[in-house]
Amino acid sequence: MNRRLRTALALTLTGTLLTTVAVTPAQAQPAQRLPDVIALPDGFQPEGIATAGRYAFLGSRATGAIQRVDLVTGRGSQLSPPTGTPSLGLKIDQQGRLFVAGGTTGDARVVDTRTGQVLASYPFASAPSFVNDVVLTRDAAWFTDSYRPVLYRVPFGRHGALPAVDAVTSVPLTGAYQQVPDTINLNGIADTPDGRALIVVQSNTGNLFRVDPGTGATTVVDVPGHSFVAGDGLLRDGNTLYVVQNRLQQITVVALDRAGTSGTVTGSLTDPDFDVPTTVAKALGRLYLPNARFTTTPTPTTPYAIVAVRPA
């Protein structure tokens, strides 16, 4: 057969008859160009983003709804209905479970990305509390609280089983970290390249901290000559740490050592379509960020979008 022909095989539902259909190069469909900007529902007010395959999941800080978006076609649908409470930082595990930081309600929940069912809810703290972001490690989900100098640990059981509410613990932060009253402090969170510690960003001071998960002891991540003020979402990809600086309209790129004790800024990423991006997730070879538009007064008709950029 001509090597320029592509062969598709179709198996009938009622037997094993195979039909061969030849498709010429002229009939073949070109690769679809991925959209650089994807619209979200008007008034959605996105904050967190997580990705799995070609899909992104976004939470609304206004209503708590979770939106599922196809990053190839740009089409979206509601996965989980409004809760009346915020949905902020998001992460997805390999079992298709979406971990959602609950903001001012001081809690978190876990949502099935296939059905939208709430699998578990975890109350952490009463007001004042602002559960902002989450990272998943091998043995736990870790959440930051922007109003309190603690991390919340939700431990996984055997085969990643979700724990009972009374298994959740608070890990107070000690050492170099200092809480500033009446403002947003802890924000994004990631793990270190060696997986032995955590990294958090303090938005108001611009510091990155390495946290010992066993003790809560913190040390400043040594990144000479750079401040991460307005630091929001964090994403670690290998030894590269992406730090979203929301009101600066940029992602700062840091090369970390394996232990996460020091790093070097290697560049920054920005885009004309950024409008106060908050968090970042990677999919299809690109970085995706929701525009939170904090400097725009939200209305039910205010437009919101996801912006894609090439990683460093």
Side-chain angles (χ1 to χ4, degrees), residues 4-305:
R4 299 181 64 190
L5 298 182
R6 298 174 58 194
T7 301
L9 299 178
L11 179 61
T12 66
L13 296 178
T14 57
T16 57
L17 175 64
L18 294 177
T19 303
T20 302
V21 180
V23 180
T24 67
Q27 295 171 312
Q29 296 296 315
Q32 184 171 355
R33 177 181 172 83
L34 297 175
D36 295 325
V37 178
I38 299 174
L40 293 169
D42 287 351
F44 187 74
Q45 296 186 51
E47 173 94 4
I49 185 171
T51 55
R54 64 187 280 174
Y55 296 99
F57 299 84
L58 296 104
S60 169
R61 67 181 185 274
T63 70
I66 304 293
Q67 186 80 355
R68 180 178 184 264
V69 177
D70 187 326
L71 298 173
V72 176
T73 67
R75 290 192 290 268
S77 61
Q78 182 174 273
L79 171 72
S80 181
T83 61
T85 59
S87 291
L88 303 185
L90 308 175
K91 288 295 185 298
I92 298 174
D93 69 7
Q94 294 183 349
Q95 298 184 44
R97 302 180 302 193
L98 182 68
F99 292 75
V100 184
T104 51
T105 53
D107 66 2
R109 69 186 190 279
V110 184
V111 177
D112 189 319
T113 56
R114 292 172 288 268
T115 66
Q117 177 187 359
V118 176
L119 302 175
S121 297
Y122 297 102
F124 296 139
S126 57
S129 177
F130 195 80
V131 181
N132 203 332
D133 210 351
V134 55
V135 69
L136 305 179
T137 64
R138 183 180 61 182
D139 59 1
W142 293 87
F143 294 82
T144 59
D145 191 326
S146 297
Y147 291 166
R148 294 170 179 252
V150 301
L151 298 180
Y152 304 115
R153 180 177 184 267
V154 179
F156 298 143
R158 187 176 182 184
H159 304 306
L162 296 174
V165 170
D166 60 7
V168 173
T169 56
S170 297
V171 180
L173 300 184
T174 63
Y177 178 80
Q178 296 294 314
Q179 184 84 355
V180 179
D182 304 320
T183 188
I184 296 294
N185 285 266
L186 291 178
N187 204 321
I189 184 169
D191 60 351
T192 57
D194 64 8
R196 296 183 177 180
L198 302 168
I199 294 176
V200 294
V201 64
Q202 189 176 16
S203 296
N204 52 335
T205 66
N207 289 323
L208 284 178
F209 293 94
R210 183 184 187 273
V211 184
D212 183 325
T215 66
T218 65
T219 55
V220 175
V221 179
D222 183 21
V223 185
H226 196 84
S227 168
F228 299 95
V229 68
D232 203 320
L234 302 182
L235 172 66
R236 183 188 61 79
D237 185 17
N239 280 54
T240 299
L241 181 69
Y242 295 100
V243 183
V244 182
Q245 292 181 268
N246 53 33
R247 293 177 187 266
L248 301 186
Q249 316 290 355
Q250 70 179 24
I251 310 168
T252 299
V253 186
V254 181
L256 292 172
D257 67 355
R258 278 191 51 76
T261 58
S262 64
T264 302
V265 172
T266 60
S268 63
L269 302 170
T270 189
D271 190 277
D273 290 312
F274 281 172
D275 193 348
V276 195
T278 45
T279 53
V280 57
K282 189 175 183 181
L284 308 177
R286 309 204 298 174
L287 301 176
Y288 289 88
L289 301 91
N291 278 334
R293 308 194 69 190
F294 289 151
T295 56
T296 299
T297 301
T299 72
T301 59
T302 302
Y304 293 93

